[in-house]
Amino acid sequence: MIQKTINDGKFVLRTATLEDAAPMAEVQKICYPTLSQEEILTAEHFANHIKLFPEGQVVITENERVIASTSTFRSHFPDHDHTFMEATDNLWLTKSHQSNGDWLYGIDMGVLPDYRGLRLSTAMYNARQEIAEKLGMKGQLTVGMTIGYGRYKEEMTIQEYCEKLKNNELTDPTVTPQRKAGFQWIKPIYEYLEDPTAGNCSVLMAWPLAGVDISELVKKYH
């Protein structure tokens, strides 16, 4: 379990408890206004995640108020394209979470608008990597929403956007910071979720722990 102060003691980063489920849901709702309602995590979903895999659920608080959160589950490295709903067992994680999974799969990362730019997402990504290491895993996976596509949707296809993003010809508010944090690009999944702002797309990425080679795993992905 994690409990520590960050940003010169202004905030607390810690493992989530059941009391955090409702505020975590509120953070998600505020952070993803264009996401399909069927894909929005509720307090009931977060409560189930906390019961199922408590080590993998993290919040950041200011004066005990939840201002940022992230949710994860244990998984084996995927070998084919999948949707957000498939990956998450329709958001519940009950059937998705594998107690012997060797990758930490992050399904949610949210920071309230007033607290953006303070590197709180980076703090949570680092905390997730710390969790993966403590649990003897190989690293963490994420499927980052191409949320910046909305600015370019009249100029190019989502496929073209992803190619430019991969080659660092464009920046994306979600994918670019994730790559800077340490995630390695694997491939876009073009129908991962239902969000027109992101072109219904997200990018599968992995952040392996030091010494972990993912090249063979990537080759098996189809």
Side-chain angles (χ1 to χ4, degrees), residues 160-186:
E160 291 170 330
Y161 178 79
C162 287
E163 189 63 23
K164 289 183 178 293
L165 200 56
K166 179 181 179 182
N167 296 331
N168 297 313
E169 296 173 34
L170 292 174
T171 60
D172 183 271
T174 297
V175 176
T176 300
Q178 288 172 331
R179 295 179 79 184
K180 288 181 178 179
F183 285 97
Q184 300 176 21
W185 183 287
I186 296 176

Side-chain angles (χ1 to χ4, degrees), residues 4-56:
K4 60 184 175 182
T5 58
I6 60 173
N7 292 48
D8 297 321
K10 294 179 182 177
F11 311 116
V12 174
L13 185 152
R14 60 171 174 79
T15 303
T17 66
L18 284 174
E19 289 74 20
D20 298 316
M24 289 172 78
E26 185 63 19
V27 168
Q28 224 236 4
K29 183 178 179 181
I30 292 170
C31 290
Y32 298 96
T34 58
L35 190 63
S36 164
Q37 286 302 304
E38 290 75 19
E39 296 173 323
I40 289 286
L41 294 158
T42 66
E44 290 76 16
H45 293 129
F46 281 112
N48 198 57
H49 303 175
I50 293 165
K51 292 175 184 176
L52 191 70
F53 181 40
E55 303 97 320

Side-chain angles (χ1 to χ4, degrees), residues 135-149:
L135 294 178
M137 304 168 78
K138 294 181 178 179
Q140 59 177 308
L141 301 170
T142 194
V143 191
M145 290 175 63
T146 49
I147 202 69
Y149 176 62

Side-chain angles (χ1 to χ4, degrees), residues 159-219:
Q159 289 84 358
E160 291 170 330
Y161 178 79
C162 287
E163 189 63 23
K164 289 183 178 293
L165 200 56
K166 179 181 179 182
N167 296 331
N168 297 313
E169 296 173 34
L170 292 174
T171 60
D172 183 271
T174 297
V175 176
T176 300
Q178 288 172 331
R179 295 179 79 184
K180 288 181 178 179
F183 285 97
Q184 300 176 21
W185 183 287
I186 296 176
K187 66 169 293 187
I189 302 179
Y190 290 111
E191 295 298 331
Y192 184 71
L193 41 68
E194 188 177 337
D195 189 320
T197 304
N200 294 340
C201 178
S202 294
V203 179
L204 175 65
M205 292 175 281
W207 183 357
L209 288 168
V212 175
D213 184 359
I214 64 171
S215 58
E216 290 303 315
L217 292 170
V218 173
K219 286 180 183 178

Side-chain angles (χ1 to χ4, degrees), residues 77-151:
F77 200 92
D79 61 5
H80 63 280
D81 285 358
H82 52 281
T83 67
F84 179 63
M85 297 299 276
E86 289 169 345
T88 62
D89 182 26
N90 294 310
L91 310 182
W92 293 104
L93 300 188
T94 304
K95 296 178 181 177
S96 303
H97 177 67
Q98 298 168 299
S99 59
N100 64 342
D102 49 11
W103 288 89
L104 192 69
Y105 192 133
I107 65 164
D108 175 59
M109 174 74 70
V111 177
L112 290 178
D114 288 347
Y115 296 90
R116 291 172 187 168
L118 301 177
R119 297 182 60 81
L120 300 186
S121 292
T122 298
M124 289 189 287
Y125 286 128
N126 289 338
R128 290 187 350 192
Q129 199 73 345
E130 180 182 330
I131 292 165
E133 185 171 18
K134 283 183 177 180
L135 294 178
M137 304 168 78
K138 294 181 178 179
Q140 59 177 308
L141 301 170
T142 194
V143 191
M145 290 175 63
T146 49
I147 202 69
Y149 176 62
R151 294 176 294 171

